[in-house]
C-alpha cells in the first residue's frame, strides 16, 4: 500500500470525523473536536501540498465579511461593556469553518471528489440519524425538519452548475425530507437566477449587480418590517406559521430600535440575552436581525457592501457556484441561525473555495468544468 492511498484514507477518516462531530455533538465541544481534526489534517498534509502563495490570497476574500463582523462586534462589545462568553465563542463559531474548509481544499487535488465525499458522508449520517429517531419515536413530520436541508441544498447548487445531474437527483429526496420552507424558497430563487444567467450570458455582470442590490434592499426591509410590525401583519394576513419566531423577535426589538444611529450591543449579545432569560428557543432564528442587533445598521450595511466586493471580484461566469451559494445564504439568513451551524458553513466554504481553486489560474478563459482540474503534485 503506497503513501498516496494512505493519505487518501486519512482524508476520508478525518472528513467523516468532522462531519460526525458537526452533526452529533453540540455546544463548544463540536468546535473543539473539529479544530483538533483540522490541526491533525494540517500536520498530515503540510509536508506535501499545503501552501498559501501570494496569488492564493484571493481565497481570503470570502472571509472578509465574517471577519469584519467579528472585529466590529468585539469592538462594540468592549465599548458597550457587554463582553461575555458568547463574544469569544462567536469568534470561533464564525472563523473556524473557513479555516477548516481552506485546509481541506488547499490540501486536496481533486476538489470535486472532496465535495462528493462530503455529500455522501452527510447523506449516510442523515439516514442513520432519521432511522434512529424513527425507531425511538415513530414517524412524525416535525422529526424530519433538519438544518441539513441547507447543506444538501448547497450540494445541489454545486452539482447543478457543474452539470452532475445524477448526483443532483440524489440531493432531491434529502432536501424534501428535511422539510425546510426557507430552504425551498432559497433554492427556488437560485434556480430562477441560474436560468436567467444561463439565458442572458452577456448581461451576467448586470444580473449580479441587480441581484445584490435587490438582496440588500430585502435584508434591510426585513429587519425594518420586524420593528414596524409589518412582518407580524403579513404573517397574520396570510396565516403563515412562524414557529414562535415573531414572539421572540418582539421580545428583542423591545430592547433596541431601528435607526441609523443604533450601533448594536456587540458580538454574542443576542445569545447571551437568550441565556439570561432562559428562553425555550435557544437561537434568534434570523441571522440578519442578529447582525443588526449586534453591529447596528451602519455595520450591517458595510457587511453587505463587503459581499458586494466579493461579487465584483468573482464577477465571471466561472464563479457561478460561488455567487449562487452566497445568494442562497442570504435567503436562509432571513429566518434561521446558520452562522452557528458549523456543518453548513464548512460545506459552504468547501464548495466556494473549491470553485475559486479550480479557476484561480485562468478565470477568464475556462468554462465551468464538469470535473475540477487536477492540481499537479496533489494526491488524486
Amino acid at each position: 500500500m503506497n503513501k498516496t492511498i494512505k493519505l487518501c484514507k486519512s482524508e476520508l477518516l478525518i472528513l467523516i470525523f468532522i462531519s460526525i462531530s458537526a452533526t452529533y455533538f453540540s455546544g463548544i465541544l463540536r468546535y473543539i473536536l473539529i479544530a483538533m481534526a483540522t490541526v491533525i489534517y494540517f500536520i498530515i498534509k503540510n509536508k506535501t501540498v499545503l501552501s498559501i502563495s501570494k496569488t492564493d490570497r484571493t481565497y481570503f476574500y470570502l472571509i472578509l465579511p465574517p471577519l469584519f463582523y467579528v472585529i466590529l462586534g468585539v469592538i462594540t462589545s468592549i465599548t458597550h461593556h457587554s463582553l461575555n462568553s458568547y463574544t469569544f465563542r462567536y469568534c470561533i463559531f464564525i472563523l473556524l469553518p473557513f479555516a477548516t474548509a481552506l485546509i481541506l481544499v488547499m490540501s486536496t487535488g481533486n476538489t470535486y471528489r472532496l465535495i462528493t465525499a462530503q455529500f455522501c458522508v452527510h447523506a449516510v449520517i442523515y439516514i442513520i440519524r432519521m432511522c434512529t429517531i424513527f425507531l425511538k419515536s415513530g414517524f412524525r413530520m416535525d422529526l424530519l425538519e433538519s438544518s441539513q436541508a441547507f447543506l444538501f441544498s448547497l450540494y445541489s447548487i454545486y452539482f447543478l452548475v457543474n452539470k452532475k445531474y445524477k448526483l443532483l437527483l440524489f440531493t432531491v429526496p434529502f432536501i424534501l425530507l428535511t422539510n425546510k420552507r426557507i430552504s425551498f424558497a432559497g433554492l427556488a430563487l437560485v434556480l430562477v437566477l441560474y436560468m436567467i444567467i444561463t439565458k442572458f450570458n452577456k448581461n451576467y455582470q448586470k444580473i449580479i449587480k441587480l441581484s445584490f442590490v435587490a438582496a440588500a434592499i430585502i435584508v434591510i426591509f426585513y429587519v425594518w418590517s420586524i420593528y414596524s410590525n409589518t412582518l407580524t401583519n403579513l404573517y397574520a394576513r396570510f396565516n403563515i406559521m412562524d414557529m414562535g419566531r415573531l414572539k421572540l423577535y418582539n421580545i428583542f426589538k423591545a430592547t433596541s430600535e431601528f435607526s441609523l444611529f443604533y450601533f448594536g450591543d456587540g458580538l454574542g449579545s443576542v445569545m447571551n440575552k437568550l441565556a439570561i432569560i432562559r428562553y425555550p428557543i435557544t437561537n434568534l432564528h434570523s441571522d440578519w436581525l442578529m447582525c443588526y442587533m449586534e453591529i447596528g445598521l451602519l455595520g450591517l450595511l458595510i457587511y453587505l457592501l463587503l459581499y458586494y466586493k466579493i461579487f465584483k471580484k468573482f464577477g465571471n461566469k466561472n464563479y457561478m457556484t460561488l455567487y449562487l451559494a452566497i445568494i442562497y445564504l442570504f435567503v436562509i439568513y432571513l429566518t434561521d441561525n446558520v452562522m452557528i451551524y458549523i456543518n453548513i458553513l464548512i460545506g459552504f466554504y468547501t464548495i466556494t473555495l473549491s470553485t475559486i481553486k479550480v479557476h484561480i489560474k485562468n478565470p477568464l478563459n475556462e468554462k465551468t468544468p464538469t470535473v475540477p482540474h487536477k492540481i499537479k503534485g496533489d494526491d488524486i
Side-chain angles (χ1 to χ4, degrees), residues 288-305:
W288 290 124
L289 179 59
M290 184 185 73
C291 286
Y292 173 78
M293 296 191 71
E294 294 192 341
I295 61 173
L297 183 57
L298 185 60
L300 178 57
L301 290 171
I302 297 173
Y303 182 77
L304 289 167
L305 183 61

Side-chain angles (χ1 to χ4, degrees), residues 18-151:
I18 289 173
S19 300
I20 291 174
S21 299
T23 304
Y24 282 100
F25 292 94
S26 60
I28 197 67
L29 178 60
R30 73 170 68 179
Y31 293 89
I32 294 172
L33 292 174
I34 291 171
M36 288 172 57
T38 302
V39 170
I40 292 171
Y41 194 84
F42 176 85
I43 293 171
I44 292 173
K45 303 295 291 185
N46 187 41
K47 294 181 180 178
T48 53
V49 296
L50 189 58
S51 63
I52 308 279
S53 66
K54 290 182 178 179
T55 56
D56 295 329
R57 290 177 182 173
T58 308
Y59 295 111
F60 293 94
Y61 270 82
L62 283 178
I63 197 61
L64 288 180
L67 185 61
F68 166 78
Y69 180 76
V70 167
I71 293 172
L72 181 59
V74 170
I75 292 172
T76 305
S77 294
I78 293 171
T79 56
H80 284 65
H81 306 288
S82 59
L83 277 173
N84 58 81
S85 63
Y86 288 103
T87 303
F88 303 102
R89 291 185 191 185
Y90 260 76
C91 293
I92 301 172
F93 293 170
I94 294 172
L95 301 179
L96 178 60
F98 176 83
T100 298
L102 181 65
I103 289 175
L104 289 174
V105 169
M106 289 299 294
S107 58
T108 301
N110 193 324
T111 54
Y112 166 72
R113 184 180 65 182
L114 170 66
I115 294 168
T116 304
Q118 272 188 338
F119 165 68
C120 292
V121 168
H122 280 287
V124 171
I125 289 173
Y126 181 75
I127 291 171
I128 293 172
R129 190 180 185 187
M130 289 300 102
C131 288
T132 303
I133 294 173
F134 175 76
L135 291 172
K136 287 182 178 180
S137 309
F139 178 81
R140 293 201 322 268
M141 198 62 191
D142 62 311
L143 290 177
L144 297 177
E145 187 179 271
S146 170
S147 62
Q148 292 290 94
F150 306 141
L151 188 57

Side-chain angles (χ1 to χ4, degrees), residues 293-349:
M293 296 191 71
E294 294 192 341
I295 61 173
L297 183 57
L298 185 60
L300 178 57
L301 290 171
I302 297 173
Y303 182 77
L304 289 167
L305 183 61
L306 288 172
Y307 271 111
Y308 180 64
K309 298 288 286 185
I310 292 175
F311 287 163
K312 286 188 67 177
K313 176 65 179 180
F314 302 105
N316 181 278
K317 191 179 177 182
N318 292 333
Y319 299 101
M320 194 192 301
T321 302
L322 181 149
Y323 160 65
L324 293 178
I326 292 176
I327 290 293
Y328 177 76
L329 277 193
F330 270 39
V331 175
I332 61 177
Y333 274 7
L334 291 173
T335 64
D336 224 297
N337 38 274
V338 184
M339 279 190 180
I340 61 170
Y341 291 160
I342 190 168
N343 55 336
I344 311 300
L345 292 179
I346 289 176
F348 166 76
Y349 284 124

Side-chain angles (χ1 to χ4, degrees), residues 4-21:
T4 301
I5 294 175
K6 287 182 179 179
L7 285 175
C8 288
K9 283 187 175 181
S10 68
E11 289 176 23
L12 184 59
L13 286 172
I14 291 177
L15 186 61
I16 292 171
F17 180 81
I18 289 173
S19 300
I20 291 174
S21 299

Side-chain angles (χ1 to χ4, degrees), residues 119 149-162 164 167-168 171-172 175 187 190 328 351:
F119 165 68
F150 306 141
L151 188 57
F152 292 131
S153 296
L154 286 168
Y155 290 133
S156 72
I157 293 169
Y158 177 82
F159 294 142
L160 173 66
V161 175
N162 285 277
K164 308 304 291 184
L167 285 169
L168 176 62
T171 66
V172 173
I175 294 169
L187 277 179
V190 163
Y328 177 76
I351 289 169

